[in-house]
Amino acid sequence: MKHLLLISSILVASQFSFAEANPVIEMTDARIFAPLKGSNATGGYVTLKNITKSPAVIMIRKAKSFKAVEMHETIEKDGRMAMQKVEQLTIAAGQTLELKPGGHHIMLFDATSEIKVGDVIKVDFLINGTEEKFDFKVIDRAAQKTEPSHH
Ligand SMILES: [Cu+2]
């Protein structure tokens, strides 16, 4: 039994280091808007770059301190902007997808504790079937407006 335990822990450790040594997706500028008072949902944004030579499939599983999390896309429907849930995103080899307000984004629902500017929220993804956690920084919604890319 001791041997079995040892073997399984080595397996877990080597899988982990494999994922670390061979990242599929590079995430930059990962951020979540601090939820507005009285609102049960907020948005998360990040730039995703597939740094491999094959397509990457990204799904979202959960986020710390929130009850639920989904990936959404923004679509125009009858002249109005609407959001719909997407189960997964596929990014072609070497391509970059920016999750941003008005485009693809992450929705986080029902915070289980107070979420403050400066907090770091761990968000749990499945990337090509492998679980990976990334840190998202909580920012003030107003700070986003000063970004030159959102004129
Ligand atoms: Cu949404």
Side-chain angles (χ1 to χ4, degrees):
M1 194 60 201
K2 251 187 181 159
H3 282 293
L4 263 180
L5 275 175
L6 188 62
I7 288 165
S8 61
S9 60
I10 288 169
L11 272 176
V12 167
S14 62
Q15 271 171 3
F16 182 72
S17 57
F18 181 82
E20 286 289 287
N22 296 282
V24 172
I25 293 291
E26 204 175 77
M27 297 206 188
T28 48
D29 205 15
R31 60 212 191 271
I32 289 170
F33 284 167
L36 296 173
K37 282 225 177 341
S39 171
N40 73 326
T42 192
Y45 311 95
V46 61
T47 300
L48 304 170
K49 183 173 188 201
N50 178 357
I51 54 174
T52 69
K53 293 187 168 66
S54 37
V57 176
I58 298 154
M59 301 175 79
I60 196 162
R61 297 188 67 216
K62 57 189 175 184
K64 199 169 190 305
S65 307
F66 288 89
K67 278 189 188 161
V69 66
E70 293 179 356
M71 282 194 298
H72 282 183
E73 61 181 344
T74 308
I75 52 160
E76 205 186 311
K77 204 177 171 187
D78 304 325
R80 288 168 182 230
M81 301 309 271
M83 300 191 296
Q84 69 183 23
K85 187 179 172 182
V86 286
E87 290 302 330
Q88 60 183 47
L89 295 173
T90 303
I91 303 178
Q95 294 301 298
T96 298
L97 177 68
E98 192 185 349
L99 274 59
K100 60 186 177 188
H104 285 87
H105 57 274
I106 294 164
M107 296 293 296
L108 304 107
F109 299 97
D110 300 320
T112 53
S113 59
E114 197 192 343
I115 309 291
K116 298 182 300 293
V117 171
D119 286 353
V120 172
I121 307 289
K122 283 218 184 298
V123 183
D124 201 337
F125 293 86
L126 272 183
I127 297 176
N128 290 343
T130 301
E131 185 176 350
E132 280 193 63
K133 288 179 167 62
F134 290 89
D135 288 341
F136 278 62
K137 199 173 172 196
V138 178
I139 64 163
D140 186 349
R141 197 169 291 258
Q144 178 83 24
K145 292 190 182 123
T146 60
E147 276 187 27
S149 59
H150 294 282
H151 278 174

